[in-house]
Amino acid sequence: MNTSNAARLGLILLLAPLLVWLLALVILPHIDMLLISLRERVAPQVYERSFANYAEFFTEPLYWRTFARTAIMSISATALTLLIAFPVSYYIAKMLRGRLKGFLFLLCLVPFWVSELVRTFGWMILLRESGVISNVLQWTGLADGPVEMLYNDATIMVGLVYTSMLFMVVPLVTTLDSLEDSLVEAGYDLGGNGLTVLRTIIIPHAMPGIVSGCIVVFMLTLGNYLTPILLGGKSSMWFTAQIYTQFITRFNWELGAAFGFLLLALSSAIVWTGLKLSRQTLSESMG
Amino acid sequence: MDLAKNNKSFDLECRDLRCNFGSFVAVDNVSFGVPEGDFFSILGPSGCGKTTILRMMAGFLEPTSGDILIKGKSVLNVPPNKRPVNMVFQHLALFPMMNVAENIAYGLIRQGVNKSDVSAKVNSALERIGLPGSGEKNIKQLSGGQQQRVAIARCLVLEPAALLLDEPLGALDLKLREHMKVELKKMQSQFDTTFVYITHDQSEALVMSNHVAVMNEGRFEQIGTPQDLYYNPNTAFVAGFVGESNRWHGRVDEVDATGIRVSTAEGVSFLAVPAGKERLAVGDAVDIFVRPESVVIAHDETRAHEMDNRLSGNVISVLFNGANSRALVREGRSGGELDVALPQTGEFSNLAVGQKVFLGWDQAQAKAFACPSGNNQGQGT
Ligand SMILES: Nc1ncnc2c1ncn2[C@@H]1O[C@H](COP(=O)(O)OP(=O)(O)OP(=O)(O)O)[C@@H](O)[C@H]1O
Ligand SMILES: [Mg+2]
C-alpha cells in the first residue's frame, strides 16, 4: 500500500513539470485561440460568437486553394523525402561498417549546424538570377542570359526536401540498423529477388521508422514558413504564410486563429489517414 | 574412404575451394563430396572457417578459387536465390513480420507455386514437424525448439538438393539440444534430403552424421565416418578434437615391426603405434594419444599385468556420471594426470580419493603422431 502510494506520488512529481508545460504553453493558448476564432467583430471593440471566420475560409477560393495546395505539396515533399532518404539510409545502415558509417551519418547532420535561415539563403545564393548556377550556365555557354531558378514550385520542393532529409534519415537508419543481415540473406536464400526481399522483409521491418519519419517530415513541412516564403516568394501560396498575413499584416486575429485550427485539423486528419492506410498505430511507430 | 574423388555422383561437391579475406586464408584448398541422402557434418573449432564454406555453397560469398558443384553442375555464377540449396541460419532468421505459415510459404510463393498448393504444402509441413494448427501463430509465440523446426521446414518444403545448417542448435539449452539431435535425424529421413551440418560440438557431429569432416584453420584434417575418426584419427588434431584423450609428449627411442617405444621428458617409457600414415624414426618428437576408455583400471597389479603399458597412481577425483563415470588419477612417477573411464560393473563404485590404483593399456591403443614443432609438451586431455 505504502510503496504504491509512494510510487504514485513520485509519478505525479515527475509528470508535474510536463503537465504544467503542456497546460501553460499548449492547452491554454489553444483554448484562447479557439475562443478568438469563434468570435466576429461587429463593431470596434464589440464581438459576437459566430462561425463567420470558418465560413469565410470556405467561401473565399484563395484561402481553401492555398490550403489544398499546401497539403498536396507537403504530402509530395514527404513522399519525395522518403524516396531519397530510404536508399541513403539503407546504404548507411546496412552496407557500411565501422568508422565510415558514423562519418556518413554525421555528414547528414552537418547542414543542421547552421540555422534554417542561413541554409535557405544558401540555396538562394545558388539559384537566383545572378547566382552561382546561373553564372556557371552562362559561362559554359549552356544559357544565353541570366537564368532565374527561384520562385517556382520545383525550387520550393527542393528546399523542403533538403530541410526534411535528416528527420527522415535518422529514424530510418535506426530501424534499418536493427534489421539482421541474416533475414535479408534468408530472403534471398529461399528464392526471393531484390524486389521481393525489399517488399516482404525490408520495408515491413522498417515500417515504424518510415511512419515516424513521415509524420515528423509532414508536420514540419506543413508548418514550415521560411523555406516556401524565401524560395517561392510571393507565388509560394503557403498556408502558414496566409496565417502570418492574417495575424500580422491584416491584424485579423479572428480569421488567423480559425486558419490555425483548420491547419491543426488538416494535419491530424492526414496523419490519421496515413496511419490507417499503412495499418500502423501511433504508439507502435513512436515507441 | 576418399570422398574427394569424383567417381560417384555427389549431390554437392567442392573442388579445391579457397577463400581469402585480404591476406588471411579462411578456407584453404578444401575438397569434398556429399553423396545423395547423406548427413554430412563439418566439425571444427570456432573460427576455423566453417561458416565461410557454407556461405560459399549458399552463394553469399564468392570463392577466391575452386569450384562448387550441385548435382554435378557448377554453380559459381548462380546467385543465391537460384541455387537449389537452402540454409538454416545460426540464429534461424525466421521472418518476424510474418506468421508461421507465411514463413513456410515464403519460398513456395517465390517458386510460383499456386495458392491452394501452397497452403496444402504448408499444412503438411506443419503436420510433419509436429505443429499442426500453429500456422497463425506469431514466431515469438513458439518455443526455441519449435522455431528450430519451423526454420528447417521452411527450407525443406522447397525440396532442395541439400540443406545447409549452420550450428542450428547453438542457441538452445543443453536438454533441448540433446532432444533436437534425434529430431533432426528424424526430419532428415522424413523429408529425405541431404544435410550439410556445421558444428563445433563433436557429440552432435558423431551422433547424427554419416560422414564427418574435421576442419582446422581453414583445412580439412580428415573426412570419414564417425567411427573412422574416433578409432583411426589421421592427425594429432583429429585425435585431440574428436573424443577425449590422454596425451603425452616424448621422443622415439626404438622402432620395430610392432610399433615404437617412446620416452617422455619425465623418463616414463611407453609402447605405442604410429597412427594413420605416420612414418616415425628414432629421435622424432611425438604426441601420444590414449582414450580414457582404453585404459584398464585395477585395484591390484595382476589385472593390468598383461598390458603393454603399465602405470600406477593415486585417485585425485572421481567424476561420477552414471555410465560415463571417470576417475582422475595422478601418475606416481611423472606426476601427470590421467583421465580413466570406470567400468560399468560397479567394481569401482566405492573408489575413494587418494586410493592407489594400477593402470594399463595395449600398445595398439596408444597412437603416436609426429609433432613437427617439438615444443608441445605436458600431458592431459
Ligand atoms: N568478412 C570477413 N572479413 C574478414 N575476415 C573474415 C570475414 N568473415 C570471416 N572472417 C574470418 O574468417 C575466419 C573463419 O570465419 P568463420 O565465420 O567461417 O568461422 P566459423 O568456423 O564459422 O566459426 P564459428 O564456429 O565461431 O562460427 C575467422 O577467423 C574470421 O575472423
Ligand atoms: Mg560460424
Side-chain angles (χ1 to χ4, degrees):
Chain A
M1 268 296 75
N2 245 337
T3 53
S4 85
N5 272 343
R8 193 174 304 157
L9 185 68
L11 188 69
I12 290 170
L13 283 177
L14 275 173
L15 282 181
L18 184 70
L19 290 175
V20 168
W21 179 76
L22 266 178
L23 191 71
L25 291 169
V26 180
I27 297 175
L28 283 181
H30 272 84
I31 290 173
D32 194 42
M33 284 269 275
L34 184 65
L35 293 178
I36 294 175
S37 77
L38 285 174
R39 70 189 188 188
E40 188 189 1
R41 189 160 66 165
V42 286
Q45 307 291 336
V46 184
Y47 296 97
E48 244 174 39
R49 184 120 310 172
S50 89
F51 285 99
N53 297 311
Y54 291 93
E56 183 165 358
F57 170 82
F58 290 104
T59 47
E60 170 62 58
L62 174 72
Y63 294 154
W64 62 258
R65 273 194 200 142
T66 310
F67 193 85
R69 178 185 142 82
T70 308
I72 289 166
M73 292 271 285
S74 297
I75 292 171
S76 318
T78 308
L80 204 60
T81 311
L82 178 64
L83 277 182
I84 298 170
F86 199 87
V88 171
S89 311
Y90 191 81
Y91 185 73
I92 293 177
K94 294 275 83 157
M95 311 293 224
L96 296 178
R97 292 273 168 274
R99 212 187 282 164
L100 194 60
K101 181 173 178 164
F103 176 71
L104 266 196
F105 197 39
L106 201 72
L107 220 56
C108 291
L109 256 159
V110 165
F112 292 80
W113 285 42
V114 295
S115 79
E116 191 187 354
L117 192 64
V118 177
R119 253 182 292 139
T120 312
F121 271 119
W123 277 111
M124 295 181 77
I125 289 168
L126 282 180
L127 297 175
R128 66 186 168 175
E129 225 176 333
S130 55
V132 176
I133 293 181
S134 172
N135 277 328
V136 168
L137 284 179
Q138 287 175 70
W139 180 72
T140 53
L142 287 171
D144 305 331
V147 189
E148 177 63 275
M149 277 180 263
L150 284 177
Y151 315 125
N152 61 53
D153 287 359
T155 310
I156 298 178
M157 202 55 100
V158 169
L160 288 174
V161 169
Y162 175 74
T163 310
S164 313
M165 197 53 83
L166 179 76
F167 301 97
M168 194 64 96
V169 167
V170 170
L172 282 182
V173 167
T174 316
T175 47
L176 285 173
D177 226 8
S178 67
L179 174 67
E180 276 178 53
D181 290 344
S182 62
L183 286 186
V184 176
E185 284 177 351
Y188 281 109
D189 187 61
L190 294 167
N193 56 28
L195 204 67
T196 48
V197 170
L198 180 72
R199 189 170 52 79
T200 54
I201 295 160
I202 299 174
I203 291 183
H205 178 90
M207 210 55 199
I210 292 175
V211 169
S212 62
C214 283
I215 290 176
V216 171
V217 167
F218 175 74
M219 292 295 206
L220 283 175
T221 311
L222 196 70
N224 199 331
Y225 177 75
L226 267 177
T227 307
I229 296 299
L230 290 180
L231 297 181
K234 287 232 161 38
S235 67
S236 71
M237 299 249 297
W238 210 253
F239 199 64
T240 44
Q242 196 60 254
I243 297 177
Y244 179 88
T245 311
Q246 295 306 331
F247 272 106
I248 308 297
T249 319
R250 302 270 183 80
F251 222 72
N252 188 349
W253 278 51
E254 291 74 26
L255 194 58
F259 284 4
F261 265 92
L262 285 163
L263 191 65
L264 184 67
L266 172 75
S267 54
S268 309
I270 291 177
V271 167
W272 184 83
T273 316
L275 285 172
K276 278 279 161 279
L277 285 180
S278 64
R279 284 192 223 103
Q280 294 282 312
T281 65
L282 199 61
S283 56
E284 242 174 72
S285 18
M286 295 300 170
Chain B
M1 70 183 304
D2 197 354
L3 285 165
K5 288 237 173 66
N6 187 24
N7 49 11
K8 201 173 144 195
S9 78
F10 291 125
D11 245 11
L12 195 69
E13 196 183 347
C14 293
R15 291 187 188 154
D16 300 323
L17 201 60
R18 193 182 178 83
C19 180
N20 300 355
F21 294 113
S23 62
F24 176 75
V25 183
V27 174
D28 192 0
N29 281 328
V30 164
S31 299
F32 65 96
V34 184
E36 196 175 327
D38 205 33
F39 197 121
F40 186 91
S41 292
I42 301 175
L43 171 67
S46 187
C48 70
K50 306 181 297 285
T51 301
T52 309
I53 292 188
L54 213 62
R55 291 175 62 80
M56 287 194 281
M57 294 199 274
F60 295 121
L61 205 67
E62 201 166 328
T64 309
S65 65
D67 202 357
I68 300 169
L69 297 97
I70 299 176
K71 299 258 185 213
K73 278 200 271 307
S74 171
V75 291
L76 278 195
N77 298 317
V78 181
N81 51 353
K82 299 268 158 53
R83 289 194 189 187
V85 291
N86 292 112
M87 186 155 162
V88 176
F89 289 79
Q90 194 155 4
H91 298 285
L92 304 183
L94 289 171
F95 304 130
M97 57 290 278
M98 304 176 199
N99 65 25
V100 172
E102 286 168 336
N103 262 280
I104 298 176
Y106 177 91
L108 292 169
I109 295 169
R110 304 285 94 81
Q111 283 186 343
V113 178
N114 72 45
K115 264 211 176 108
S116 56
D117 286 357
V118 168
S119 67
K121 283 188 176 189
V122 168
N123 286 333
S124 105
L126 283 172
E127 203 106 342
R128 272 188 282 181
I129 59 170
L131 289 170
S134 296
E136 297 302 309
K137 277 194 185 162
N138 199 308
I139 293 303
K140 298 210 180 67
Q141 286 170 281
L142 299 183
S143 73
Q146 290 169 334
Q147 291 186 5
Q148 194 81 53
R149 282 178 271 165
V150 172
I152 294 168
R154 175 174 84 167
C155 296
L156 290 181
V157 289
L158 304 178
E159 291 161 17
L163 183 68
L164 314 173
L165 302 104
D166 188 358
E167 303 195 22
L169 306 187
L172 303 181
D173 60 60
L174 191 67
K175 191 126 190 213
L176 196 52
R177 211 150 60 210
E178 294 300 320
H179 174 70
M180 282 306 294
K181 278 185 207 167
V182 183
E183 198 90 342
L184 264 175
K185 194 73 187 155
K186 217 161 72 191
M187 281 173 88
Q188 193 218 359
S189 60
Q190 241 169 18
F191 285 86
D192 195 23
T193 311
T194 309
F195 274 37
V196 177
Y197 186 92
I198 278 189
T199 180
H200 60 245
D201 181 319
Q202 44 135 335
S203 86
E204 281 175 23
L206 296 182
V207 167
M208 294 188 283
S209 319
N210 305 114
H211 295 102
V212 181
V214 180
M215 191 176 184
N216 185 32
E217 292 180 348
R219 296 170 170 278
F220 274 8
E221 296 265 336
Q222 187 174 356
I223 304 176
T225 61
Q227 292 82 351
D228 237 6
L229 296 176
Y230 193 81
Y231 294 113
N232 305 308
N234 276 346
T235 66
F237 179 81
V238 176
F241 196 75
V242 179
E244 309 277 313
S245 283
N246 292 297
R247 181 170 175 173
W248 289 270
H249 182 72
R251 270 181 200 286
V252 179
D253 278 349
E254 274 177 59
V255 181
D256 63 20
T258 53
I260 56 172
R261 174 172 291 281
V262 176
S263 59
T264 68
E266 295 87 15
V268 188
S269 174
F270 294 114
L271 289 173
V273 291
K277 302 181 189 82
E278 298 276 359
R279 302 233 169 282
L280 299 169
V282 173
D284 284 350
V286 290
D287 278 320
I288 304 175
F289 291 83
V290 178
R291 301 261 182 229
E293 62 272 23
S294 310
V295 179
V296 172
I297 182 168
H299 287 302
D300 48 59
E301 187 142 26
T302 51
R303 254 307 268 298
H305 200 71
E306 62 268 31
M307 300 309 224
D308 298 320
N309 293 297
R310 288 182 297 277
L311 290 173
S312 63
N314 296 314
V315 176
I316 50 176
S317 68
V318 178
L319 312 164
F320 181 76
N321 182 17
N324 293 320
S325 299
R326 300 287 185 81
L328 219 53
V329 177
R330 173 159 290 137
E331 202 266 307
R333 233 175 324 155
S334 64
E337 285 171 16
L338 264 98
D339 196 353
V340 181
L342 293 177
Q344 290 163 39
T345 52
E347 190 190 341
F348 292 89
S349 59
N350 49 10
L351 196 66
V353 172
Q355 203 170 333
K356 187 171 170 88
V357 288
F358 296 90
L359 308 173
W361 60 91
D362 277 331
Q363 177 168 19
Q365 305 293 344
K367 303 232 155 48
F369 294 91
C371 173
S373 54
N375 55 7
N376 202 354
Q377 26 82 25
Q379 55 182 190
T381 56

